[in-house]
Amino acid sequence: MSKRLIRFDWAVKKLLRNKANFVVLEGFLSELLFEDIKIQKILESEGNQETEQDKYNRVDILVQNAKNELVIVEIQNTYEIDYFHRMAYGASKALTENLSLGQSYSEIKKVISVNIVYFDLGQGKDYVYKGTTNFQGLHEHDLLQLSNKQKETFAKKNISDVFPEYYIIKVNQFNDIAKDTLDEWVYFLKNSEVKDSFKAKGLAEAKEVLDVMRLNQEQTYGYNRYLDYLHVKASEALSLKIQQEELMEKKIAEAEQKVRKDENYKKAIEIAKNMLADNETNEKIAKYTGLTIKQIEALRNKK
């Protein structure tokens, strides 16, 4: 048996900001980052600023965990060709806005950018990707490391621990076969269902917190509007895709027709030249080649 639940993106916007429900988001982050994550507090994020454009297309939340790290969780429903650039901007913004005036650079917080996308971002076979920053020697091809003094001073093991860390979950690319606890979360992100056999952290609580039946009348109305909007956007995306395919097919057909027309013209020219060599009349050449009298006269003059 499985239980149909509220979509995670709507839950992040409306329900999971409540401290009593932190356990759900903590469970997801713990499975993704392979460590026990505890949320200390939720900071202001762009997702709180419900502009008309971003009201449904995307959701983001910025949290600070018990290790004083900043974790951005962003959910994007519609295609954006420059989404990688926005990931870089979002991490940079979180980093700079959380460094107070007068603090040294060594006090910047580690930023972890988690991106859940419902479109095909980039080109790759996997559905979960991790990105870190490393420095490789151009000549020796070795990885640059922190010195022992730097490790001791900054409590970091690797240079990549200083720079933002990125995760991308391409939800629609998941094949619905959950092989581990992280896959169980990806299954939920895709299907809004939690199977009874799932053991991932936070999913048991999600079954309770995100139960559609727990919504009040106002929440139910807002959630249904959200679902309707997603259906409309999906239809628009499908219509646009079909239009683009039809336009491409038309261009290909026109190109093929032009090629055939050019080939036929070349053949007609060759036939006309041969008939001119036999001193045939313009009218007869026009009849057999389809060329105009003017075109034939031009060929005759050139000959």
Side-chain angles (χ1 to χ4, degrees):
M1 294 289 291
S2 61
K3 191 173 185 179
R4 194 78 177 178
L5 302 172
I6 297 166
R7 282 178 57 102
F8 188 67
D9 45 4
W10 193 85
V12 167
K13 184 180 284 287
K14 299 295 184 180
L15 302 177
L16 300 186
R17 297 172 185 272
N18 186 330
K19 190 171 184 178
N21 298 331
F22 280 3
V23 64
V24 177
L25 191 55
E26 287 173 342
F28 166 64
L29 294 175
S30 295
E31 297 292 357
L32 178 64
L33 305 179
F34 295 99
E35 61 177 294
D36 190 22
I37 299 296
K38 294 297 180 185
I39 296 176
Q40 188 177 61
K41 59 183 175 179
I42 291 180
L43 306 175
E44 185 68 20
S45 67
E46 291 177 359
N48 293 333
Q49 303 168 18
E50 290 194 354
T51 64
E52 196 61 33
Q53 181 178 358
D54 290 333
K55 191 174 183 180
Y56 297 111
N57 288 342
R58 70 183 181 92
V59 177
D60 75 326
I61 186 170
L62 177 63
V63 305
Q64 184 174 314
N65 65 18
K67 294 169 62 177
N68 207 29
E69 297 171 329
L70 300 175
V71 184
I72 307 167
V73 179
E74 182 153 339
I75 307 165
Q76 177 70 27
N77 284 303
T78 57
Y79 174 75
E80 283 193 6
I81 193 170
D82 59 350
Y83 189 80
F84 287 122
H85 301 76
R86 205 175 80 193
M87 286 169 52
Y89 172 79
S92 301
K93 184 180 179 186
L95 190 152
T96 56
E97 288 187 350
N98 286 277
L99 182 67
S100 300
L101 186 64
Q103 284 185 303
S104 67
Y105 292 128
S106 63
E107 295 181 75
I108 63 171
K109 292 180 173 63
K110 169 76 173 183
V111 175
I112 301 172
S113 173
V114 178
N115 299 270
I116 303 169
V117 298
Y118 287 84
F119 61 93
D120 191 14
L121 176 62
Q123 188 173 2
K125 297 179 180 178
D126 212 322
Y127 52 94
V128 181
Y129 289 88
K130 177 182 178 180
T132 58
T133 299
N134 288 294
F135 297 86
Q136 185 174 28
L138 295 182
H139 301 93
E140 300 296 333
H141 306 293
D142 62 321
L143 289 180
L144 188 63
Q145 303 290 339
L146 294 175
S147 67
N148 291 332
K149 186 64 176 178
Q150 287 173 317
K151 292 178 181 179
E152 179 184 341
T153 303
F154 307 132
K156 305 287 186 184
K157 293 182 179 180
N158 303 296
I159 288 180
S160 60
D161 296 332
V162 177
F163 292 86
E165 190 171 291
Y166 298 91
Y167 292 84
I168 297 172
I169 301 177
K170 299 169 66 172
V171 177
N172 294 341
Q173 201 150 322
F174 179 59
N175 64 4
D176 287 342
I177 300 174
K179 298 178 180 179
D180 52 37
T181 49
L182 176 56
D183 280 355
E184 291 176 2
W185 261 101
V186 181
Y187 182 94
F188 165 64
L189 294 175
K190 182 178 179 181
N191 301 291
S192 299
E193 293 181 10
V194 173
K195 295 183 178 180
D196 290 340
S197 59
F198 285 179
K199 304 298 182 183
K201 295 178 181 179
L203 286 183
E205 291 80 3
K207 289 177 71 172
E208 299 301 320
V209 174
L210 307 184
D211 188 342
V212 175
M213 301 303 293
R214 290 169 60 100
L215 297 179
N216 59 38
Q217 186 175 357
E218 182 180 351
Q219 290 172 329
T220 300
Y221 174 75
Y223 183 56
N224 287 334
R225 278 194 63 196
Y226 181 69
L227 295 180
D228 289 341
Y229 177 86
L230 293 181
H231 291 317
V232 170
K233 295 303 290 184
S235 296
E236 289 178 353
L238 178 61
S239 298
L240 180 60
K241 181 180 178 182
I242 292 174
Q243 288 176 356
Q244 290 173 337
E245 289 175 350
E246 289 176 344
L247 180 60
M248 182 60 66
E249 290 173 357
K250 183 180 179 182
K251 288 182 177 179
I252 292 173
E254 290 175 349
E256 290 175 345
Q257 184 178 7
K258 185 178 185 301
V259 169
R260 287 193 296 269
K261 185 177 180 181
D262 290 344
E263 289 176 349
N264 291 337
Y265 178 73
K266 289 178 182 178
K267 290 178 181 178
I269 293 295
E270 289 302 317
I271 294 171
K273 287 180 177 179
N274 291 332
M275 294 181 74
L276 285 170
D278 293 336
N279 292 318
E280 300 288 356
T281 65
N282 291 350
E283 289 74 15
K284 186 175 181 179
I285 296 173
K287 179 180 178 181
Y288 283 96
T289 63
L291 297 175
T292 65
I293 299 297
K294 186 175 181 180
Q295 289 172 321
I296 297 168
E297 281 293 343
L299 286 173
R300 190 183 294 277
N301 293 334
K302 187 181 293 186
K303 177 176 176 297

